[in-house]
Amino acid sequence: MAEFVSVEVADQIATIRLDRPKMNALNAQVQLEIAEAARMTDADPGVHAVVIYGGERVFAAGADIKEMADMSYADMSSHSRTLQDCFTAVARIGKPVIAAVTGYALGGGCELALCADFRVAGESAKLGQPEIQLGIIPGAGGTQRLPRLIGPSRAKDLIYSGRHVPAAEALAIGLVDRVVPDAEVYQAARDWAATFTGGPAIALRAAKQAVDRGLEVDLDSGLEVERLQFSGLFATEDAKNGMRAFAEKSIPKFTGR
C-alpha cells in the first residue's frame, strides 16, 4: 500500500490522488509512488482515462527542498534519473490524462502537470518553475516539456524568472487548457475524462503515441510513426466496428480489441 499516492477507479476513470500534507511536496517516496500508480493505471484495461489530483487546496508545491538541500553532485546525478523516470511514467500512460490543478503547481508540481495531456486549473491556481530562485534549474522535464507546450520564449520567461503564473495567464499562453471555479476543478477534470470512456482505447493510445513520439523527431520520422500506427489499427476489431457503424449509420461499439 502506498502511503502518499492512491488510485481510485470509478466509471472507467482512475484518479491518481496525491496526499502528503501540507503541500504535497514531491520527495523520493512520493515520486516512486506516482510512478507505480502510473504503471498500474496504464496496465488496467478497465481504466479508460486518468485524472491526477492533489486535493482541494494544492496540486503539488514542488520537490522536497529539505530532502535535496544536502545532496551532493554524485547524489543528485543518480537521483535525477529516477526523478525523471518517475515523471516519464506518467507521460507514458497510454490513455488520456488530465491534471486537475488547484492552488499551487510549482517546480516538480508544474512538471507533473506537464506530463498530462490536458490541464484544468482553478481560478486561483498558480503554476511555475521557480527553481532558478534556488540557484538550480528544473530537473524533472520542465526545460523540455514546457517549451514544447508553450514555445521556447515563453518557457524561458517562466524558467529564467521563476515567477508564479496566475491561472488566467496560464490559460492565455496555453499552459493550461481550461480555467474553472476552484470548487469545480476535480469535477471538471472528471467530466472531461468521461468523454473518453467507452471510446476506441487502442486508437486513443495510438494517437497519443503518434503525437508524443512525433514531437521528439523530425517531420519525416514523425510521419513514419503516424503511418505505422495508422496502418496497425486496421488489424483491430474496433476499427472494423467503427467503419461498419459509419457505413450503417449506427453508433459504434468499441471493445478495446
Side-chain angles (χ1 to χ4, degrees):
M1 293 289 290
E3 183 177 0
F4 299 120
V5 180
S6 62
V7 177
E8 178 181 331
V9 179
D11 301 322
Q12 299 179 317
I13 301 168
T15 298
I16 297 177
R17 170 73 156 88
L18 312 182
D19 187 14
R20 186 183 180 220
K22 297 180 179 178
M23 301 295 287
N24 287 335
L26 303 171
N27 68 353
Q29 180 179 340
V30 173
Q31 294 161 23
L32 291 171
E33 291 181 7
I34 288 171
E36 180 57 30
R39 286 188 284 266
M40 189 187 334
T41 55
D42 186 44
D44 186 346
V47 171
H48 289 199
V50 179
V51 174
I52 305 175
Y53 182 52
E56 296 177 357
R57 293 182 59 253
V58 62
F59 184 71
D64 192 325
I65 305 303
K66 292 180 180 178
E67 182 182 68
M68 294 194 304
D70 295 326
M71 285 188 177
S72 66
Y73 165 75
D75 294 333
M76 186 51 76
S77 180
S78 173
H79 174 68
S80 59
R81 184 168 297 281
T82 301
L83 169 61
Q84 287 194 351
D85 288 347
C86 289
F87 278 48
T88 296
V90 176
R92 294 283 168 83
I93 295 173
K95 301 165 185 183
V97 178
I98 301 167
V101 179
T102 55
Y104 291 109
L106 302 175
C110 185
E111 289 170 307
L112 178 59
L114 291 173
C115 292
D117 298 299
F118 312 107
R119 283 148 293 280
V120 176
E123 291 173 332
S124 65
K126 294 185 183 298
L127 300 89
Q129 300 288 167
E131 290 88 347
I132 202 76
Q133 297 172 358
L134 302 175
I136 58 175
I137 66 172
T143 67
Q144 302 304 305
R145 292 191 175 97
L146 188 60
R148 283 170 167 79
L149 181 66
I150 66 173
S153 294
R154 286 171 171 163
K156 287 176 181 177
D157 170 36
L158 270 58
I159 293 168
Y160 291 4
S161 68
R163 66 187 181 88
H164 298 180
V165 180
E169 181 184 355
L171 179 64
I173 65 175
L175 181 53
V176 303
D177 303 285
R178 296 180 184 176
V179 174
V180 300
D182 292 338
E184 298 175 14
V185 171
Y186 178 62
Q187 189 58 52
R190 278 193 59 87
D191 289 346
W192 196 347
T195 65
F196 303 109
T197 61
I202 302 175
L204 282 168
R205 182 182 291 269
K208 181 168 183 172
Q209 290 178 348
V211 172
D212 290 351
R213 294 293 187 273
L215 288 171
E216 298 169 358
V217 298
D218 61 88
L219 178 59
D220 285 344
S221 299
L223 288 169
E224 181 65 5
V225 170
E226 179 186 81
R227 186 184 70 81
L228 293 172
Q229 293 283 8
F230 171 72
S231 301
L233 290 170
F234 281 77
T236 67
E237 292 182 15
D238 279 353
K240 292 180 175 59
N241 291 339
M243 287 184 277
R244 185 182 302 114
F246 176 83
E248 296 173 352
K249 296 182 173 58
S250 61
I251 298 174
K253 294 181 180 179
F254 299 115
T255 62
R257 295 193 294 271

